[in-house]
Structure formats: structure tokens, C-alpha cells
Amino acid sequence: MADLIAQVEKEYQIGQDNYRAGHLEASKQNFDRAFNLLLGSNLDLHSDERLEREFDHILEGVNGFELQALQEGDGFTEQKSEPAPIDEANEVTFPADPNIKAKAEAEIKSTHSDLPLMMTDQVAGYINYFSTRGRGTIERALTRSGRYDEMIRTTLKEEGVPQDLIFLAQAESGFHPLALSRAGARGIWQFMASRAKGYGLERDWWIDERQDPEKSTRAAARHLKDLYSQFGDWYLAMAAYNSGPGTVQSAVKRTGYADFWELYRRNVLPKETRNYVPIILAVTIMAKNPEQYGLDHLEKDQPVPYDSVKINYPVDLRLVAECVDASASDLQDLNPSLLRMTTPKDQTFELHLPSGTSEKFDTAIAAIPPDMRVWWRYHKVQPGDSLLSVARTYRTTPKAIVEANNLDDSAELAPDSKLIIPIAAGKHSSTEDAATYSHRATRYKVRKGDTVQSVADNFGVPPAMVRKWNRLKGDSLKGRTAIYVHLPVSPAAARDSEVASSRSHSKTSGSARHAASAAGSASVVHHKVKQGETLYSIASSYNTTVDALKRDNRNIAVLRPGMVLVIRP
């Protein structure tokens, strides 16, 4: 047991060193190995106080690192993916409606397409699916298509492949750059990592170019062109795009038929590949005949223009957003290949900015030292702001703000002006663009009937975070006597969240005034937001104003159940 604990502690210490050195992926692997050593041993962690204490020690330490990384934006947590629509379509089997099939057969005779169109029972079945249960899927995809249609068609034409291959992307991803399949394929064109690398799409800790719409479209066009050169048939090329050229080539050799429908009939292709071509054909026929399928009312998204600047330094997207007066989510949307809130270190990156803002960005970023662009911020002054209140919000000092902005100590802050906020490394408070959780973990004693979902609901946090904080899989808490939860707090209240986290396994009940007395202070109250509460209702119950609530809580606009607000007299 002593040897095990020593090995675990050594791995944990190495992880700490890697984390502090900025080697985030390496530190994550160290932490995982530390947990695996404990969980993979034949010893019952809950049968010995030393083992349980070591597990709690490692868990709480790693959670602290992960929370800091999450708040700083360049840590362990990747951007949220979207489920790929192709997965759901592959799971359904819809009958071929004779009326739908007859109508579609008549339509395709007058439908112009640079891909061959064929009507079979399988295609008719998927037209039936997308006309009923899957209607929302095709409507959302057609709406999003306007954003990328021109770019994709132009690229396909330049690469010398049919422009109607655009409907392959529609069926695969619904034109969502963050689409992720259950098999691990990513992006608009659903590339697997190994195949993507062969076509020049890079992937590392910071970026995944499978999620770059322009680069992945170019790669997909070249890959499809290569597959057509190999098989001489677009249906077989699409099948090979789905399951790999080796799978299709093997089926052709076994049967002697280089014909997709014959391979379908003989059942020599994987089920998903057999469905794949009919799904694409169904989507193509419906998209090309929107009036017949009631899709002509959809208003397509417009392409989003952007400026591009090449940078060779890491910068936090939240700072970029502040430089150009946009939101961090806008910047993420323009840069979907970024896996985190920070641009890559030690490499050049083409940063996309809202159209017309490149000069504004260049001017604003020049005032921030290059080695501080993942830490420092800009703050837009709000009415009532003072040097002291701004410094407290960002965990810095009034003197540091004065020096960074060449101000006088007695200077008044003009509303709507911008201040450079010099934040020391590792001292960020989270912004309104990301969920904020107390640094100190609440230890919750598991009770009979508890599940991850029920605990998450009680504490007002996502179930995924409960699993992440406790290295859990699934919804069961069987065998666990205690778990850790970090309570959500408003950004300005993050520094005071220890008060809330002291309320461990009470299912977060209890009044805000009780929390204030627990803090030993009669001047500050911590209020835990309940379902249905508003800023106005909370302000009224404490005899204060909405403006005061916003002022003391980082100008918060949106309330989440479970969030802890600071209320000052």
C-alpha cells in the first residue's frame, strides 16, 4: 500500500510540474495515470483511510488544475461538439412509401445534377424519413447551407469534382464545423484523424483543421477525386469515402461487381455504408426540389465575411473579442478549428476577425505585451466603476491598472472607455462567456438512490462536470461514499465561493442569510439563484436595486439556477 501511494504521488507531482510548465496534455496524462494506479489496484479505496485520503487529495488537486485551465481558456476542456446528423439517419429504417417513390421518380427525370440520381426503395425510404421524423434535420442543414454554399461549390469546381457533392457534407454534418460522429469523425466533411492527416489537415493540442470549413472542403474534394480515379464510379467513391477504399475494393474483388447497388443487394458492405449512398441521394433529391417537399419557405443563412490576420503568438479569444468589441462566442464561431479559447503557441495561426476590424485589432493588441496576451484583458468602463472595483473584479491592484494605462491615481474613469487590465499569470477570474465554479470543492456524502443526474440537479451544475470532477462514467454512483462538486458562482463572486462550498451535502438548501452568517460577515450576503428567479425578484427581496446587483456581480445579465450572487448593503 505504501508503494502504491508513493507511485501515485510521484505521478501526481510530475503532472503538477508539467502543468506549471505549460505542458497541458502531458500533465493530463500524468493525472490520468495517477488515478489509474489507484483505481486499477486490487485494493478497496474505501476500506483504508490512507488510500481514501490519497484519492481525495489527488482528486481535489487535479480538479483545481482543471478548473483553472477551464477558466483560463486554454486548458483541458475542448470546445463543445455537435452530434453528427448522419449517425441518427443510419439508425433508422423507414419503409418506402409507394406514392413518395413514384413522385420522386418523376421528379428526378427533370432534375439537373452533375451526380447520377437513382430512385430505389432505400432512397425512397430516406425521403420518407426526412419528410417526417428527420424533417428538422434537413431543415436545419438547408438553413445553414447558405453560409458555406458558395465557398464549397467554388472549391469543388476548382478541384474538378461534381459540385453536387456538397450534399454529401449536408448529409454528414448538416454543415456544422463542430459535428462529431460516434466513430470520431469531425467537421463539415466528417474526416477521421488518420485520413485527414493524409490530406494535409493538421491536428494538435490547439487546433483541429478538420473543423476548418475551407481547408477541410479542399481536402475532401481531393480525397473524393482520388477515390473516383480508383473506382471510376461516384457511388463507389462515396461508399469508399464512408468506409475506406480498402473495404469497397475488397467487396468488389469478392463479388466481381464494381457496382454499388449490386454490392448492396449482396450485403457485402457494412450496414452504415449501405445506408450512406441512399441517404445522400435522398438529401440531394429533396434539396433540389424544395417546393415539392415544403422546403421552399426556408430562409438560408448568409455567408459571414471576415478579416484575416496572421499571428505568431498565443492570444486569448476573450482578449481578441475585447479588442474588436465582439463576443468571445463570435470569435469562436469565426475560428472553429481552434479547440480552446487560446490560439496556438510557437506556431503561426490565421486568426479570423469580424469583417472590418483587423486594423482595430492591430491597434488594440499592440498595447498588450506579447507575452501577456493570454493573461491580460481590456475592460469597458461601466457607470459606477472605480479603479478599486475594477481591480477587485480582475484580481489585480489599482496601482497595476494605473501604471498599465498611464493614469493618475485620482483619475476618474470615463464610461465606455477601455482600460488595459494587467492580470498576473494564473489569477484570472472567469468571464461571462464561460461557466464559473468555486475553486474549493464541496464534499458531498452519497445517499441511497443518488445518481450523477440527481446530484447535478441538486447543485445546479451539468452532469458532465460532476462526472469529470470525480472521474466517473455513466450515471451510477454505486460504490462511492462521497463525491466532489464545485458550486457555480457569478464571475464577480468567484473569489467568495468558499462560503457557498462550505454547505456540503445539504443538497444546497438553506437561506442566503445563513450563508452570510457562515461567512462571519453581516455586511455581505451570498444568494443562491433558484429556478425562475430574476434580477428584479432577487433585488426586491433584499431591498436593493438591479443596478446594484449587476455592479457587484460583474454586470451579469443571465442567471443560472445554482449560481451564487454577492449582495452588498
Side-chain angles (χ1 to χ4, degrees):
M1 188 179 296
D3 288 343
L4 174 62
I5 292 175
Q7 291 175 10
V8 171
E9 194 63 31
K10 180 180 179 182
E11 199 69 53
Y12 173 62
Q13 294 299 331
I14 295 172
Q16 286 184 308
D17 293 340
N18 276 326
Y19 181 90
R20 294 189 179 106
H23 307 313
L24 302 181
E25 179 62 25
S27 66
K28 183 178 185 298
Q29 292 174 3
N30 293 133
F31 295 149
D32 284 345
R33 280 196 288 269
F35 279 110
N36 289 338
L37 282 169
L38 277 171
L39 298 174
S41 70
N42 294 323
L43 302 172
D44 182 357
L45 299 183
H46 308 298
S47 66
D48 187 277
E49 185 181 347
R50 290 169 295 172
L51 281 176
E52 189 161 20
R53 188 166 56 243
E54 180 67 13
F55 182 81
D56 290 346
H57 163 63
I58 298 294
L59 187 61
E60 189 160 6
V62 172
N63 283 344
F65 284 119
E66 293 193 352
L67 282 168
Q68 182 178 331
L70 175 64
Q71 291 174 1
E72 289 165 7
D74 60 351
F76 298 127
T77 303
E78 294 189 14
Q79 62 185 193
K80 185 179 180 181
S81 300
E82 294 287 330
I86 195 73
D87 282 339
E88 182 179 350
N90 261 318
E91 287 183 346
V92 303
T93 302
F94 260 68
D97 185 312
N99 294 326
I100 289 178
K101 184 178 180 182
K103 184 179 176 182
E105 280 180 327
E107 286 164 356
I108 63 175
K109 292 177 181 177
S110 59
T111 301
H112 173 73
S113 175
D114 54 8
L115 283 175
L117 297 180
M118 181 178 291
M119 179 52 54
T120 67
D121 284 349
Q122 294 77 26
V123 176
Y126 277 110
I127 290 178
N128 190 9
Y129 164 70
F130 286 118
S131 298
T132 53
R133 176 175 158 187
R135 186 169 186 82
T137 299
I138 196 168
E139 287 184 345
R140 287 188 294 272
L142 285 172
T143 299
R144 286 188 64 85
S145 70
R147 181 165 183 169
Y148 301 108
D149 187 276
E150 183 179 351
M151 178 275 292
I152 291 176
R153 291 185 181 278
T154 299
T155 303
L156 295 176
K157 184 177 180 180
E158 289 172 354
E159 294 297 328
V161 297
Q163 293 181 49
D164 283 346
L165 286 171
I166 188 173
F167 298 112
L168 183 152
Q170 177 175 323
E172 286 266 25
S173 67
F175 298 108
H176 206 301
L178 304 186
L180 174 66
S181 78
R182 294 178 191 132
R186 278 185 183 269
I188 283 178
W189 293 92
Q190 289 291 281
F191 269 105
M192 295 296 288
S194 56
R195 187 70 62 188
K197 188 173 181 62
Y199 283 88
L201 298 179
E202 298 297 325
R203 181 180 184 274
D204 57 26
W205 172 252
W206 305 102
I207 62 171
D208 192 331
E209 289 183 342
R210 292 179 292 172
Q211 298 180 175
D212 184 301
E214 290 86 358
K215 290 182 179 180
S216 65
T217 297
R218 184 76 61 183
R222 291 175 179 175
H223 182 31
L224 285 161
K225 188 174 184 179
D226 289 343
L227 293 172
Y228 181 75
S229 297
Q230 180 177 349
F231 293 101
D233 178 273
W234 281 114
Y235 289 172
L236 290 179
M238 287 189 283
Y241 187 90
N242 174 257
S243 61
T247 300
V248 176
Q249 190 65 56
S250 175
V252 169
K253 284 183 177 180
R254 257 188 348 214
T255 63
Y257 287 95
D259 177 82
F260 173 79
W261 296 109
E262 187 63 32
L263 300 180
Y264 187 105
R265 187 177 69 81
R266 291 170 178 262
N267 198 23
V268 291
L269 292 171
K271 177 179 177 291
E272 288 190 357
T273 306
R274 294 174 78 233
N275 292 339
Y276 188 74
V277 172
I279 290 171
I280 295 170
L281 290 177
V283 165
T284 303
I285 292 167
M286 294 180 73
K288 282 182 165 291
N289 297 279
E291 301 88 355
Q292 287 88 326
Y293 296 99
L295 300 170
D296 52 324
H297 69 285
L298 298 176
E299 186 173 339
K300 294 186 177 181
D301 293 345
Q302 294 298 308
V304 179
Y306 56 81
D307 292 351
S308 295
V309 295
K310 286 192 175 180
I311 59 175
N312 57 5
Y313 51 82
V315 59
D316 193 296
L317 289 187
R318 289 166 291 192
L319 174 61
V320 176
E322 291 155 1
C323 288
V324 299
D325 292 318
S327 70
S329 60
D330 289 339
L331 269 297
Q332 285 183 298
D333 199 35
L334 287 172
N335 297 275
S337 66
L338 280 177
L339 295 178
R340 312 181 191 282
M341 288 290 284
T342 307
T343 62
K345 298 178 181 178
D346 304 321
Q347 60 179 286
T348 300
F349 180 74
E350 187 175 288
L351 179 66
H352 294 172
L353 302 168
S355 182
T357 64
S358 58
E359 290 186 7
K360 189 176 186 179
F361 170 74
D362 288 339
T363 300
I365 202 67
I368 308 294
D371 60 341
M372 289 291 113
R373 290 172 184 174
V374 295
W375 301 109
W376 287 20
R377 293 283 184 269
Y378 272 105
H379 173 77
K380 189 173 184 179
V381 176
Q382 304 295 321
D385 277 351
S386 66
L387 282 172
L388 182 60
S389 68
V390 173
R392 187 168 59 227
T393 296
Y394 289 95
R395 300 184 183 179
T396 185
T397 64
K399 181 180 179 182
I401 296 176
V402 165
E403 292 176 351
N405 293 274
N406 295 316
L407 298 174
D408 293 329
D409 290 341
S410 58
E412 291 190 5
L413 304 182
D416 295 329
S417 63
K418 282 188 176 181
L419 291 176
I420 296 172
I421 308 297
I423 304 173
K427 296 297 184 182
H428 277 132
S429 63
S430 185
T431 73
E432 63 276 8
D433 292 299
T436 308
Y437 302 97
S438 61
H439 185 75
R440 180 176 295 173
T442 293
R443 183 182 174 92
Y444 173 81
K445 186 177 180 181
V446 175
R447 297 173 177 177
K448 185 177 180 180
D450 277 342
T451 64
V452 169
Q453 184 67 55
S454 67
V455 173
D457 290 344
N458 287 335
F459 281 91
V461 298
M465 295 304 291
V466 176
R467 285 190 284 269
K468 179 181 179 66
W469 291 326
N470 295 276
R471 294 301 196 275
L472 293 169
K473 292 182 180 180
D475 196 47
S476 174
L477 293 176
K478 186 177 180 180
R480 299 299 296 268
T481 57
I483 61 172
Y484 287 90
V485 178
H486 296 261
L487 296 185
V489 294
S490 67
R495 64 187 179 277
D496 299 312
S497 62
E498 289 82 359
V499 174
S501 65
S502 67
R503 295 175 289 169
S504 60
H505 51 271
S506 63
K507 294 195 175 182
T508 67
S509 61
S511 70
R513 300 186 189 282
H514 173 74
S517 64
S521 169
S523 61
V524 177
V525 170
H526 297 83
H527 177 85
K528 183 172 180 294
V529 177
K530 301 178 183 65
Q531 187 73 37
E533 286 189 316
T534 66
L535 286 171
Y536 179 79
S537 69
I538 295 171
S540 298
S541 66
Y542 287 96
N543 197 27
T544 185
T545 65
V546 171
D547 286 342
L549 276 183
K550 288 185 174 181
R551 181 194 66 221
D552 293 334
N553 292 276
R554 187 73 170 79
N555 293 310
I556 193 163
V558 179
L559 298 182
R560 299 188 306 275
M563 178 182 285
V564 178
L565 298 180
V566 173
I567 299 176
R568 302 181 189 278

